[in-house]
Amino acid sequence: MPDIFVNYRTTDEDTGAALIERELSRRFGSERVFRASKSIKVGRRFPQELLTAVRRSSVLVAVIGERWADARTPDGRRALDDPEDWTRREIVEAFESGALVVPVLIGRATRLNRRDLPPELAELADCQYRRLDTRNADADLARIGDDLAEALPRLAEAERQIACEEAAAGNVSHRADRFEGWGGADQ
């Protein structure tokens, strides 16, 4: 069951979404992070898979690039105004299920404005965001992970467990140093 759902628009920041998902999966475990193209198995019905994953997740990370709000449907309407737009549906579902919603602004994307969003998404503009810039990618990704671990203590526990398993297997990494004294495998 995923704890984190990575929401993104494929025509906007799918690379940023993949980078965030990869780092969060490394830190907390792949099974704890849902990104549609990674997590939905072949032949599965994606509408049900997406909605189930959003409902079961405690956090939705909304990856927002410069083109996120301006994406268009095939008939030329703004995608965010279409109730069938999956990016919109996932965020609305996260709000309705009580998940923590964390906008991550990529590159030069600017903070969202309530007036520019449909009423069902206006709340997204009020959520404290984080930023991911390629110039500071390592630090920005670390901050996002740290914030999520603080907001969801079971993520911090999962990260500690991974570090202990790596240390026990002899795959000592820089991660193990963060958890020294936390009751490692030999204590």
Side-chain angles (χ1 to χ4, degrees):
M1 176 171 94
D3 289 307
I4 303 166
F5 187 100
V6 179
N7 165 275
Y8 64 100
R9 190 172 291 292
T10 56
T11 60
D12 181 41
E13 277 298 334
D14 56 338
T15 302
L19 185 63
I20 290 168
E21 178 269 314
R22 183 180 307 157
E23 176 59 16
L24 297 178
S25 290
R26 183 194 67 76
R27 279 186 73 165
F28 306 124
S30 183
E31 71 285 351
R32 293 184 175 275
V33 183
F34 182 95
R35 182 173 56 90
S37 59
K38 172 199 93 168
S39 303
I40 299 176
K41 305 297 181 215
V42 67
R44 301 295 300 213
R45 295 188 175 139
F46 82 89
Q48 188 57 46
E49 295 284 323
L50 288 172
L51 294 174
T52 298
V54 171
R55 289 176 188 137
R56 291 183 177 170
S57 296
S58 298
V59 176
L60 179 136
V61 174
V63 180
I64 300 170
E66 291 181 74
R67 297 177 307 273
W68 183 85
D70 297 324
R72 300 288 169 189
T73 63
D75 63 1
R77 292 180 299 136
R78 190 173 77 142
L80 285 178
D81 295 324
D82 180 3
E84 297 302 312
D85 174 58
W86 276 104
T87 301
R88 171 189 164 137
R89 285 178 71 180
E90 293 164 3
I91 295 169
V92 168
E93 191 69 37
F95 282 132
E96 288 176 357
S97 68
L100 175 69
V101 176
V102 180
V104 175
L105 306 180
I106 306 291
R108 296 178 187 202
T110 58
R111 187 165 175 242
L112 298 173
N113 187 320
R114 290 177 74 82
R115 293 184 313 260
D116 298 332
L117 298 172
E120 299 82 8
L121 291 178
E123 179 177 1
L124 184 61
D126 297 338
C127 295
Q128 181 61 36
Y129 66 90
R130 289 294 174 250
R131 184 167 293 285
L132 174 59
D133 191 303
T134 54
R135 293 175 299 157
N136 303 314
D138 289 341
D140 291 348
L141 289 167
R143 182 175 185 196
I144 292 166
D146 291 348
D147 288 344
L148 294 180
E150 183 179 333
L152 223 66
R154 70 176 168 262
L155 291 176
E157 177 59 28
E159 183 176 21
R160 186 189 69 74
Q161 183 65 33
I162 290 169
C164 290
E165 290 169 4
E166 287 176 351
N171 299 329
V172 179
S173 69
H174 68 281
R175 170 185 353 212
D177 296 339
R178 292 182 58 185
F179 300 103
E180 191 171 303
W182 281 30
D186 61 320
Q187 292 184 354

